[in-house]
Short mmCIF file of all heavy atoms in Angstrom, two decimals:
data_model
loop_
_atom_site.label_atom_id
_atom_site.label_comp_id
_atom_site.label_asym_id
_atom_site.label_seq_id
_atom_site.Cartn_x
_atom_site.Cartn_y
_atom_site.Cartn_z
N GLN A 37 146.16 27.48 -63.34
CA GLN A 37 146.85 28.20 -62.30
C GLN A 37 145.80 28.75 -61.31
O GLN A 37 145.97 28.73 -60.12
CB GLN A 37 147.64 29.34 -62.86
CG GLN A 37 148.55 30.02 -61.83
CD GLN A 37 149.38 31.11 -62.45
OE1 GLN A 37 149.22 31.51 -63.60
NE2 GLN A 37 150.34 31.59 -61.78
N THR A 38 144.68 29.24 -61.80
CA THR A 38 143.63 29.81 -61.00
C THR A 38 143.07 28.71 -60.09
O THR A 38 142.83 28.90 -58.89
CB THR A 38 142.49 30.40 -61.84
OG1 THR A 38 143.02 31.39 -62.63
CG2 THR A 38 141.41 30.95 -60.94
N ILE A 39 142.86 27.47 -60.61
CA ILE A 39 142.32 26.41 -59.84
C ILE A 39 143.29 25.94 -58.71
O ILE A 39 142.92 25.71 -57.59
CB ILE A 39 142.06 25.12 -60.77
CG1 ILE A 39 140.87 25.51 -61.69
CG2 ILE A 39 141.65 23.91 -59.92
CD1 ILE A 39 140.62 24.49 -62.76
N GLN A 41 145.39 27.77 -57.15
CA GLN A 41 145.64 28.77 -56.15
C GLN A 41 144.51 29.01 -55.18
O GLN A 41 144.55 29.90 -54.37
CB GLN A 41 146.03 30.10 -56.84
CG GLN A 41 147.36 30.10 -57.49
CD GLN A 41 147.73 31.44 -58.12
OE1 GLN A 41 146.81 32.26 -58.34
NE2 GLN A 41 148.98 31.65 -58.44
N THR A 42 143.46 28.23 -55.29
CA THR A 42 142.35 28.36 -54.35
C THR A 42 142.10 27.03 -53.66
O THR A 42 142.27 25.94 -54.24
CB THR A 42 141.09 28.86 -55.08
OG1 THR A 42 140.71 27.91 -56.10
CG2 THR A 42 141.26 30.19 -55.72
N GLY A 43 141.63 27.14 -52.42
CA GLY A 43 141.33 25.90 -51.67
C GLY A 43 142.60 25.23 -51.19
O GLY A 43 143.61 25.83 -50.98
N TYR A 53 146.08 26.29 -47.53
CA TYR A 53 144.72 26.64 -47.91
C TYR A 53 144.74 28.09 -48.44
O TYR A 53 145.07 28.97 -47.67
CB TYR A 53 143.75 26.52 -46.71
CG TYR A 53 142.29 26.52 -47.18
CD1 TYR A 53 141.65 25.37 -47.49
CD2 TYR A 53 141.61 27.68 -47.28
CE1 TYR A 53 140.33 25.34 -47.88
CE2 TYR A 53 140.29 27.75 -47.70
CZ TYR A 53 139.63 26.56 -47.99
OH TYR A 53 138.32 26.53 -48.47
N ILE A 54 144.33 28.25 -49.66
CA ILE A 54 144.37 29.54 -50.31
C ILE A 54 142.97 30.09 -50.57
O ILE A 54 142.12 29.34 -51.08
CB ILE A 54 145.13 29.41 -51.66
CG1 ILE A 54 146.50 28.69 -51.51
CG2 ILE A 54 145.34 30.81 -52.29
CD1 ILE A 54 147.44 29.33 -50.51
N ASN A 55 142.81 31.33 -50.16
CA ASN A 55 141.48 31.98 -50.33
C ASN A 55 141.27 32.25 -51.83
O ASN A 55 142.21 32.19 -52.67
CB ASN A 55 141.36 33.26 -49.55
CG ASN A 55 141.28 32.97 -48.07
OD1 ASN A 55 140.64 32.02 -47.67
ND2 ASN A 55 141.97 33.81 -47.25
N SER A 56 140.07 32.65 -52.18
CA SER A 56 139.66 33.04 -53.55
C SER A 56 140.45 34.20 -54.09
O SER A 56 140.61 34.35 -55.31
CB SER A 56 138.20 33.23 -53.67
OG SER A 56 137.81 34.32 -52.81
N ASP A 57 140.99 35.04 -53.17
CA ASP A 57 141.77 36.22 -53.63
C ASP A 57 143.27 35.84 -53.78
O ASP A 57 144.06 36.71 -54.12
CB ASP A 57 141.67 37.35 -52.67
CG ASP A 57 142.12 36.99 -51.26
OD1 ASP A 57 142.62 35.83 -51.03
OD2 ASP A 57 141.98 37.83 -50.30
N GLY A 58 143.57 34.52 -53.62
CA GLY A 58 144.92 34.08 -53.83
C GLY A 58 145.79 34.16 -52.62
O GLY A 58 146.99 33.83 -52.67
N ARG A 59 145.34 34.65 -51.52
CA ARG A 59 146.08 34.82 -50.28
C ARG A 59 145.87 33.60 -49.36
O ARG A 59 144.84 32.97 -49.35
CB ARG A 59 145.65 36.10 -49.56
CG ARG A 59 145.97 37.40 -50.36
CD ARG A 59 145.51 38.60 -49.55
NE ARG A 59 145.73 39.83 -50.33
CZ ARG A 59 145.45 41.04 -49.83
NH1 ARG A 59 144.96 41.20 -48.62
NH2 ARG A 59 145.69 42.14 -50.56
N GLY A 60 146.97 33.35 -48.61
CA GLY A 60 146.84 32.23 -47.69
C GLY A 60 145.93 32.55 -46.54
O GLY A 60 145.91 33.65 -45.98
N LYS A 61 145.11 31.56 -46.13
CA LYS A 61 144.11 31.77 -45.10
C LYS A 61 144.74 31.67 -43.75
O LYS A 61 145.71 30.96 -43.57
CB LYS A 61 142.97 30.75 -45.24
CG LYS A 61 141.88 30.91 -44.19
CD LYS A 61 140.78 29.87 -44.38
CE LYS A 61 139.75 29.95 -43.31
NZ LYS A 61 139.01 31.31 -43.31
#
Side-chain angles (χ1 to χ4, degrees):
Q37 188 177 14
T38 302
I39 294 173
Q41 288 183 343
T42 59
Y53 194 90
I54 310 302
N55 289 322
S56 57
D57 60 4
R59 298 180 181 180
K61 181 179 178 61

